[in-house]
Every structure is written in structure tokens, then in C-alpha cells.
């Protein structure tokens, strides 16, 4: 069974099945609406890409949201200037984010450890401030960049006349809203999963792991580590740009708040929560956080009262007021507590917990001989 | 000339706040080796100490006005704070001076919060990687922030400075530069306060035996431990002191910036930049960089500068940080061997 999972086509098929059937198996959780499903796919890509840098290479970037923002802006500009087709938008999003990552990575990677974190944070905050104020002609400042009726859309104009109202994003005529948008993101996610898996299992991935465990020693063996770390940085930046452009695909607007450092913090949380350095961990982390954000934050007092209706009245009141702290407006509190608990008790994240469970309950049934193949949690 | 002096003054109190927060951050880093992302939350908690104290003092009751009567002859009812009703003029004085008096409350409260935080959470993270420390304290910062938001709401809560220093000082007249150079009194007070606290922390570390041992521990805690000194206990106290410094910076900042639940995060990022620019673990570096960046930032906000480089006030700090980090890897006054893998 384990052998089968490790085989490329099988892993890919299983993964695709899970992703594409999300609308079905998420129904019991109340999460099968396209808006949330799109977020699941997009943030999974973002976290997966971030993990290539943080999980594999060990560089904790606190500025990855900048690439997300650049991707979004590039995609919206592609919609405005050229065509509503999503493929060029994604191309521009990835390309600009990659270039941007090349510049920032080239400078930031001169330092490691906390200095690297602060450098990336500084660059991201600079980009945020610039997008918010100075670059208003490009980013439309605090209002955010949106489609307008006056946009040139050169390529679209060649074939069709401008209609009334704003056009929607399309893939060769197929509108990218609702479930079709989700399936498009899902296909992109599957491609990204394939790429990430390849990177993890390649000699390049092995080099990155080596850099993470001891960069000096890698240097002594004759490796120039700089090109490898820079490549990892650019790749993860491109993943972030892809996620950003997909955000613009599903909802064609871009705002500076996407680049704020709290947004960078969020992707770090996702990766840690799921399991740093594991293949699917960051994706699961992204899903958990987005699920919390969307489902928990929509709970209100009435929902809670309904939930605790089996309790006697006085107990019910206490239960409602205590758990009321953690849902609705206060769902961030849940996030913070969950996050602390994970870092304190389960540094390997959800994937580590899953392995522990497997070892405890599946230990007797013969498949316990799998310690070496699993990815190491971050140190 | 006036404008330049004014910007310089503006920079001093902003720099004072940066320096105070960064001082605690770098103190904790230098002693415990912990990167504390919850330090901004301590600044915020300090500010909310002032808010709570003010709320307690201004609890009101309805009393009859001593002289005025309504048209029907019944006394006019007015609302008076309890303290004022009980203590008369002294009570009114207390309410008026609630911000500076909050210091008395904030010191023990912040000390306890700091020590509990260190003993309860941080101590388990000495041996863990810096990334884990960053993440757990970041989580703690979110939790503290949400608790404050739950109890005090999301809106900023303005605090008044005492009436004596509510106005502006006519600095221009003092210096013989003519009028036109006026500056809020409270900001001068804040600068003086920041200077005093920084001096106190330095004096404590420099001139007391306790501080000397702590400094020795910062250099080589193992050897100090071998001499039979419980250095860990002293480091815990140092963490408490760092929390108090951050808290006091928050208390006194409330009349300048109405406290809200995310002020800690706003200042945290900047003060981390300050710490790194000054050099991780270097106390004079943190103070120097704090004032330097504060002053640079206010100069960058001048209209003359803004017309040449629009938006420079937003990014100047980060720009300086990038340049300094790339040219001086250890920051301005960083010691060798700190945070160098």
C-alpha cells in the first residue's frame, strides 16, 4: 500500500481526486460554496510555495505577501490592458512576482536567520507603503485597483465590441466565477502539487534540505549555496505570485492590504500549523485556517445557543458566553490559541500529529516501518 | 530653521517610544536569547493599564448640585466621579492626573505580567530555534490583542494629558527665535520621561551589583552559573523589567496616540527594525537607533522633503534598515558573535 502511494502517477491521481471532489466531501462541513473553495485552492498554493523556502531551505521570510500583492496587481493590469482571458493574467502575475522575488531575494539572502526575516519584512512593508501611497497611478492607492468601463482591453476589442457593464474574467469564453473558477484554481493547484513533489524529490530539493540542516557544512563540501537559496526564493515568490493572480482571476481587484505584514504572518501560520517541510502539510494548514476564518467567524450567539441547547439553562449561558469569545468576531483568538498550542506541543504541526496517531493506533498492524521516508519536521 | 527644529523635536518623542520598546526587546534578547514578538503587546497592555486606571477613577455617581436649582426648586443633578465625591479637590486632582498616576499601577502589573509570561511560556523556548520563539510569541501577541479587543472594543480610546500640560510650549520665544515655534507640552514630557527611564535602566545595569551580574550573564551565563549565582532568576527579573519599560512607554504614550488593540503590532515591526539596526543585543545601539530612526522619520515627513521624494516618510525607516543591514551586518553597535550562525 505504502509503495503504491509513493508512485508518482498514483499519488497524483489520488491528490487530484481529493481536490476535484472537494465540493462533495466538504458538504458535511458546510464548506462547499465556491467562494471558500477558491480560497482553499489559492491559499494552498501560497502555503505550498512558501514551504519551498521555509520548509525546505529553512529561511523564514516575513514578507511573502508582497509577492502575492504583485501577482494580483499584475493580473488586474493584464485584465485592464489586454484581455479578460485569465492565462495572460496568470503569466504576468507569475512573471512579475518572479522578477520582484529575484531582486528582493538577491539582496535579502546576503543575511540569514533573524536578519533575513527582518530584511524581507522591511522590503514587504516598503512595497506595502509604496502601493498604498506613492504608486497610486499603478495601484490606485487605498481604493484598490479595479476594472473600469474605460479600460482599453486591446486584445478583446479586436474581436468584440465593448458591452454594457464590466466584463467577467474568462478562460476562452468560459466565465471564471463560481464553481468553474474553483475548478480552474483546482487544476492549477494540482499542477503546483506535481511541481512541488518533483522539487521535493529532486537532487535540488535534497540540496535545499542540506542548506537547511547546515549551510556551513554545505559550503565546505564545495557547494555555492547562494544560487540554490536564490532559486528557492524565486520559486516560492512565483508560487505566491500565482496565488495572487488567481485571487484576481476569481475576483478581479487588487488592494494594498494584501501585502501587509500580517498577511505574510498568516502564511507562516498556515505552514507551521500544517507541518513545516512536509508536502501536503502547508496545504492542510491553509485549509484549516481559511475554514476557521470563514465558518467560525460566521457563528453568532443564536448558533451557539442552538448548539448548547442540550445543557440546562444556567450551564448553557456559561457555555455560550465562554465559547462566544472564540467565535464570530473573536475567531482570531481561536487562531492565536491554536497556534500557540501547536508550536508548544506539536512543533511538527498537524502532519506530525497525524504520524503520532498512526504510530500509536496503527503500530500493531504491520505498517510501522516507515520512519525514514517521512519528511523531518523543521528544526 | 524653525521647521527643522520642530521636526527634530517631533522625532525625539517618536524616537523615545521606539527606543523604549527596542530597549526591552534587545534586553530580553541579550539575556534570554529570545526573540519576543509579544513585546509590542506589552506596550499595548501598558497603554490599557492607563485606560483601565482612568476608567476606575472616573466611575461616576449622581449627586445634587450644591447651589443650582431647577425652576421647580429641586436641586440640579450632576454626575461626579466617586473619587471626587469622596476626596474632594484631591479626587479631582487624581482624575486630572490619571495618566501619570497610572505609572504607579502599571509598574507592579507589568512586572507580574512579564514574570508570569517568562515563567509560564518563554522559559520553555530557550533551547528551541528562533523561528519557534517568533511563532509562539506571535501567537501570544494575537491572543493578548484579541482579549483587549474583547474587553475594550476596537475603537481607539483617547486619554487626556493633565490640564497643566495640555497646551503647547512656546519654544520659539525661549530660544529667541521669535514666535511661531510652539510644541505640545506632553510631547516634551514624554521625551523627558523616556530619557529618564533609559537612564534608569542603564544605571541599574551599570552601577548596581545585581546589574553587573546580569551583564556578566549576558556575556557568558554558563560561567556565571558555575560561580553559584542563579542567573536564570535574574534573567526572569530582567524580563519583568523589560515588560515594565514597554508598559511605561505605553502608559505615557496614550495622550499622544489614543490606544487601540493593534497599536502593539504597529510598533512591534518598527521596533524590531530599530533593534536590528542598532545591533541585536546592544542596549546603546537600540537607544541610538530608536532616536535616529524617529528623527529621520519626522524629517522625511517634512513637506519640502515630501515634494522631492513623495511617500518617503512611509518607507524611510525600512530603507535605512536595508542599507544598514547590507553594509553593516551587525547593525550600528552590534557585538561580534550575536545571532551569527
Amino acid at each position: 500500500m505504502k509503495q503504491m502511494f509513493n508512485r508518482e502517477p498514483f499519488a497524483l491521481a489520488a491528490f487530484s481526486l481529493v481536490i476535484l471532489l472537494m465540493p462533495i466531501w466538504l458538504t458535511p462541513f458546510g464548506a462547499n460554496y465556491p467562494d471558500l473553495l477558491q480560497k482553499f485552492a489559492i491559499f494552498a498554493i501560497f502555503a505550498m510555495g512558501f514551504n519551498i523556502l521555509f520548509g525546505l531551505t529553512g529561511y523564514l521570510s516575513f514578507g511573502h505577501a508582497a509577492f502575492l500583492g504583485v501577482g494580483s496587481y499584475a493580473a488586474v493590469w493584464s485584465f485592464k490592458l489586454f484581455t479578460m482571458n485569465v492565462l495572460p493574467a496568470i503569466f504576468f502575475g507569475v512573471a512579475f512576482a518572479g522578477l520582484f522575488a529575484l531582486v528582493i531575494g538577491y539582496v535579502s539572502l546576503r543575511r540569514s536567520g533573524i536578519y533575513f526575516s527582518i530584511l524581507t519584512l522591511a522590503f514587504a512593508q516598503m512595497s506595502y507603503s509604496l502601493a498604498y501611497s506613492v504608486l497610486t497611478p499603478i495601484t490606485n492607492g487605498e481604493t484598490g485597483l479595479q476594472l473600469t468601463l474605460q479600460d482599453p482591453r486591446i486584445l478583446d476589442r479586436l474581436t468584440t465590441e465593448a458591452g454594457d457593464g464590466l466584463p467577467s474574467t474568462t478562460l476562452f469564453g468560459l466565465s471564471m466565477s463560481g464553481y468553474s473558477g474553483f475548478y480552474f484554481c483546482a487544476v492549477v493547484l494540482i499542477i503546483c502539487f506535481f511541481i512541488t513533489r518533483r522539487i521535493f524529490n529532486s537532487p535540488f530539493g535534497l540540496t535545499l534540505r542540506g542548506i537547511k540542516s547546515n549551510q556551513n557544512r554545505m559550503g565546505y563540501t564545495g557547494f555555492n549555496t547562494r544560487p540554490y537559496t536564490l532559486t528557492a526564493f524565486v520559486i516560492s515568490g512565483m508560487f505566491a505570485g500565482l496565488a495572487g493572480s488567481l485571487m484576481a482571476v476569481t475576483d478581479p481587484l487588487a488592494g494594498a492590504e494584501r501585502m501587509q505584514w500580517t498577511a505574510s504572518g498568516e502564511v507562516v501560520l498556515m505552514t507551521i500549523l500544517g507541518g513545516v517541510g512536509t508536502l501536503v502539510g502547508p496545504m492542510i494548514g491553509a485549509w484549516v485556517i481559511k475554514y476557521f476564518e470563514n465558518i467560525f467567524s460566521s457563528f453568532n450567539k443564536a448558533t451557539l445557543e442552538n448548539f448548547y441547547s442540550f445543557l440546562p439553562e444556567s450551564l448553557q449561558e456559561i457555555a455560550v458566553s465562554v465559547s462566544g469569545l472564540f467565535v464570530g468576531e473573536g475567531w482570531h483568538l481561536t487562531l492565536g490559541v491554536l497556534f500557540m498550542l501547536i508550536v508548544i506541543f506539536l512543533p511538527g504541526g498537524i502532519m506530525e500529529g497525524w504520524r503520532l496517531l498512526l504510530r500509536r493506533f496503527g503500530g500493531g498492524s504491520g505498517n510501522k516501518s516507515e520512519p525514514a521516508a517521512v519528511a523531518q519536521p523543521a528544526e | 530653521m524653525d521647521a527643522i527644529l520642530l521636526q527634530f523635536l517631533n522625532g525625539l518623542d517618536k524616537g523615545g517610544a521606539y527606543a523604549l520598546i527596542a530597549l526591552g526587546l534587545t534586553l530580553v534578547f541579550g539575556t534570554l536569547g529570545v526573540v519576543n514578538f509579544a513585546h509590542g503587546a506589552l506596550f499595548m497592555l501598558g497603554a490599557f493599564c492607563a485606560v483601565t486606571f482612568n476608567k476606575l477613577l472616573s466611575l461616576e455617581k449622581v449627586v445634587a448640585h450644591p447651589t443650582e436649582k431647577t425652576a421647580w426648586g429641586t436641586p440640579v443633578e450632576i454626575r461626579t466621579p466617586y473619587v471626587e465625591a469622596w476626596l474632594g479637590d484631591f479626587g479631582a486632582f487624581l482624575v486630572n492626573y490619571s495618566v501619570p498616576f497610572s505609572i504607579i499601577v502599571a509598574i507592579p502589573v507589568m512586572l507580574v505580567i512579564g514574570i508570569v509570561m517568562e515563567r509560564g511560556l518563554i522559559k520553555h523556548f530557550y533551547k528551541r530555534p528562533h523561528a519557534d520563539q517568533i511563532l509562539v510569541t506571535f501567537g501570544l501577541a494575537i491572543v493578548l490583542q484579541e482579549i483587549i479587543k474583547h474587553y475594550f472594543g476596537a475603537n481607539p480610546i483617547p486619554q487626556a494629558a493633565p490640564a497643566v500640560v495640555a497646551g503647547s510650549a512656546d519654544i520659539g520665544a525661549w530660544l529667541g527665535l521669535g514666535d511661531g515655534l510652539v510644541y505640545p507640552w506632553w510631547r516634551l514630557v514624554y521625551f523627558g520621561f523616556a530619557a529618564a527611564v533609559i537612564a534608569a535602566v542603564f544605571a541599574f545595569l551599570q552601577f548596581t551589583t545585581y546589574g553587573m551580574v546580569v551583564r556578566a550573564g549576558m556575556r557568558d551565563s554558563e560561567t556565571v552559573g558555575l560561580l553559584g549565582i542563579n542567573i536564570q532568576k535574574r534573567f526572569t527579573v530582567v524580563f519583568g523589567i523589560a515588560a515594565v519599560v514597554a508598559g511605561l512607554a505605553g502608559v505615557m504614550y496614550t495622550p499622544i496616540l489614543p490606544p487601540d488593540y493593534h497599536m502593539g503590532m504597529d510598533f512591534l515591526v518598527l521596533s524590531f527594525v530599530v533593534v536590528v539596526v542598532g545591533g541585536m543585543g546592544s542596549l546603546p545601539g537600540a537607544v541610538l537607533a530608536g532616536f535616529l530612526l524617529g528623527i529621520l522619520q519626522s524629517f522625511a515627513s517634512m513637506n519640502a522633503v515630501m515634494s522631492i521624494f513623495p511617500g518617503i516618510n512611509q518607507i524611510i525607516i525600512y530603507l535605512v534598515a536595508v542599507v544598514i543591514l547590507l553594509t553593516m551586518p551587525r547593525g550600528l553597535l552590534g557585538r561580534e558573535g550575536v545571532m551569527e550562525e
Side-chain angles (χ1 to χ4, degrees):
Chain A
M1 192 65 187
K2 284 279 173 187
Q3 291 297 312
M4 242 170 106
F5 268 114
N6 286 335
R7 230 174 276 152
E8 191 85 52
F10 186 83
L12 202 63
F15 184 80
S16 313
L17 213 62
V18 169
I19 298 295
L20 293 175
L21 293 183
M22 267 164 83
I24 296 171
W25 64 264
L26 280 175
T27 310
F29 301 99
N32 67 332
Y33 50 99
D35 196 38
L36 183 56
L37 289 173
Q38 286 164 359
K39 274 188 195 155
F40 277 171
I42 291 169
F43 280 93
I45 295 172
F46 190 21
M48 254 184 195
F50 181 76
N51 188 39
I52 293 176
L53 183 69
F54 182 40
L56 274 187
T57 323
Y59 279 80
L60 173 57
S61 157
F62 251 99
H64 251 55
F67 308 125
L68 192 80
V70 169
S72 284
Y73 282 122
V76 176
W77 270 112
S78 156
F79 290 140
K80 284 168 87 75
L81 290 180
F82 305 120
T83 165
M84 291 306 289
N85 196 329
V86 297
L87 291 183
I90 287 179
F91 170 77
F92 283 117
V94 174
F96 274 96
L99 278 177
F100 198 56
L102 187 68
V103 175
I104 290 183
Y106 183 79
V107 180
S108 310
L109 285 166
R110 285 154 183 268
R111 302 275 169 267
S112 60
I114 189 154
Y115 290 103
F116 172 80
S117 302
I118 297 288
L119 269 176
T120 46
L121 180 64
F123 276 117
Q125 283 295 95
M126 263 201 272
S127 326
Y128 164 71
S129 303
L130 290 177
Y132 200 77
S133 57
V134 186
L135 298 177
T136 304
I138 304 175
T139 61
N140 205 10
E142 56 186 303
T143 337
L145 192 60
Q146 292 165 354
L147 300 178
T148 60
L149 287 171
Q150 289 81 41
D151 292 334
R153 263 190 283 282
I154 305 165
L155 293 176
D156 283 359
R157 288 287 182 280
L158 296 178
T159 51
T160 52
E161 278 301 302
D164 315 327
L166 291 172
S168 65
T169 52
T170 63
L171 179 68
F172 304 114
L174 179 67
S175 172
M176 284 288 109
S177 54
Y179 278 107
S180 56
F182 161 68
Y183 280 110
F184 179 72
C185 296
V187 170
V188 176
L189 172 61
I190 291 165
I191 297 170
C192 288
F193 174 77
F194 179 70
I195 296 171
T196 317
R197 202 182 140 85
R198 272 298 170 87
I199 291 174
F200 266 63
N201 295 332
S202 66
F204 172 67
L206 208 61
T207 315
L208 295 185
R209 281 174 219 250
I211 290 170
K212 178 180 178 177
S213 69
N214 194 329
Q215 187 154 8
N216 283 338
R217 212 175 289 168
M218 289 296 282
Y220 296 146
T221 58
F223 258 98
N224 182 4
T225 53
R226 184 73 70 76
Y228 288 89
T229 49
L230 186 59
T231 314
F233 193 89
V234 172
I235 291 175
S236 73
M238 284 163 86
F239 269 73
L242 177 62
S245 56
L246 284 177
M247 279 180 183
V249 163
T250 54
D251 186 13
L253 48 89
E257 74 285 345
R258 261 176 213 173
M259 307 172 90
Q260 222 169 353
W261 81 277
T262 40
S264 306
E266 198 185 34
V267 73
V268 184
L269 302 197
M270 290 172 178
T271 313
I272 300 285
L273 183 67
V276 180
T278 59
L279 189 55
V280 290
M283 183 175 74
I284 294 172
W287 289 352
V288 170
I289 287 182
K290 284 292 142 190
Y291 183 76
F292 269 73
E293 184 184 299
N294 282 270
I295 304 295
F296 268 43
S297 62
S298 69
F299 280 13
N300 53 24
K301 204 158 175 256
T303 331
L304 284 175
E305 273 166 2
N306 203 12
F307 182 76
Y308 288 112
S309 54
F310 62 92
L311 290 170
E313 200 151 306
S314 53
L315 274 179
Q316 183 192 358
E317 220 162 85
I318 298 169
V320 166
S321 56
V322 168
S323 45
L325 275 173
F326 292 91
V327 298
E329 291 272 288
W331 81 273
H332 270 110
L333 185 61
T334 321
L335 193 68
V337 170
L338 185 72
F339 190 54
M340 283 173 69
L341 292 179
I342 291 278
V343 182
I344 294 169
F345 297 111
L346 207 62
I350 293 175
M351 291 305 279
E352 169 97 353
W354 175 243
R355 273 198 297 279
L356 285 177
L357 275 181
L358 275 187
R359 210 169 301 155
R360 180 151 308 166
F361 296 109
S365 60
N367 54 354
K368 61 182 171 187
S369 57
E370 192 67 26
V374 294
Q376 295 293 316
E379 277 303 319
Chain B
M1 181 62 206
D2 284 10
I4 290 175
L5 190 64
L6 193 65
Q7 292 311 324
F8 187 76
L9 286 171
N10 259 329
L12 282 184
D13 54 51
K14 200 164 228 169
Y18 292 161
L20 283 179
I21 305 174
L23 188 68
L25 265 178
T26 206
L27 198 58
V28 167
F29 181 80
T31 51
L32 302 165
V34 170
V35 182
N36 181 15
F37 261 54
H39 201 74
L42 293 172
F43 175 69
M44 175 201 67
L45 287 181
F48 278 91
C49 278
V51 172
T52 316
F53 188 63
N54 181 282
K55 279 215 163 124
L56 283 179
L57 285 183
S58 353
L59 282 179
E60 290 168 329
K61 73 167 183 177
V62 178
V63 293
H65 197 281
T67 49
E68 280 182 44
K69 297 260 181 351
T70 59
W72 290 278
T74 49
V76 173
E77 291 184 333
I78 50 166
R79 305 177 69 81
T80 324
Y82 278 100
V83 268
E84 205 177 319
W86 293 335
L87 302 174
D89 282 350
F90 181 67
F93 173 79
L94 271 182
V95 175
N96 185 5
Y97 280 82
S98 82
V99 169
F101 278 126
S102 311
I103 293 177
I104 304 166
V105 184
I107 288 176
V109 169
M110 294 310 295
L111 195 64
V112 169
I113 290 177
I115 288 175
V116 167
M117 202 168 129
E118 200 274 338
R119 285 288 89 185
L121 181 72
I122 309 275
K123 93 172 171 194
H124 304 289
F125 279 82
Y126 296 149
K127 296 275 181 271
R128 302 267 290 266
H130 286 303
D132 280 9
Q133 298 169 352
I134 291 178
L135 296 165
V136 79
T137 47
F138 184 59
L140 180 65
I142 295 176
V143 169
L144 290 175
Q145 196 173 301
E146 287 303 310
I147 292 173
I148 290 294
K149 188 177 159 194
H150 182 258
Y151 285 106
F152 293 88
N155 294 325
I157 306 165
Q159 300 294 304
V164 185
V165 287
S168 294
D170 195 354
I171 294 174
W174 302 347
L175 299 177
L177 293 171
D179 36 288
L181 181 58
V182 290
Y183 196 70
W185 267 109
W186 185 259
R187 287 174 175 257
L188 290 178
V189 171
Y190 191 84
F191 171 66
F193 170 79
V197 171
I198 291 168
V201 171
F202 273 94
F204 169 72
L205 288 175
Q206 205 66 38
F207 301 124
T208 63
T209 326
Y210 199 95
M212 190 183 74
V213 174
V214 169
R215 274 189 295 132
M218 282 169 89
R219 291 260 157 151
D220 187 351
S221 65
E222 208 169 315
T223 311
V224 176
L226 287 175
L227 292 171
I229 295 166
N230 187 351
I231 192 71
Q232 206 48 60
K233 204 167 151 193
R234 299 194 179 214
F235 282 175
T236 306
V237 173
V238 169
F239 193 94
I241 291 173
V244 169
V245 170
L248 292 187
V251 168
M252 296 293 273
Y253 212 67
T254 51
I256 301 177
L257 178 84
D260 58 13
Y261 70 101
H262 56 75
M263 67 190 288
M265 286 286 186
D266 298 347
F267 271 82
L268 175 78
V269 177
L270 286 172
S271 37
F272 253 101
V273 171
V274 167
V275 167
V276 170
V277 165
M280 288 294 286
S282 161
L283 297 178
V287 175
L288 176 72
F291 281 109
L292 187 73
L293 292 181
I295 291 168
L296 270 179
Q297 196 180 24
S298 61
F299 272 110
S301 321
M302 285 170 73
N303 283 333
V305 181
M306 291 273 277
S307 60
I308 309 169
F309 307 104
I312 187 82
N313 61 330
Q314 309 261 351
I315 62 166
I316 181 81
I317 284 195
Y318 302 108
L319 210 59
V320 171
V322 166
V323 170
I324 286 190
L325 273 186
L326 292 176
T327 50
M328 307 167 72
R330 286 185 200 118
L332 291 174
L333 299 175
R335 275 182 292 130
E336 199 175 338
V338 177
M339 280 306 292
E340 287 171 0
E341 290 93 333

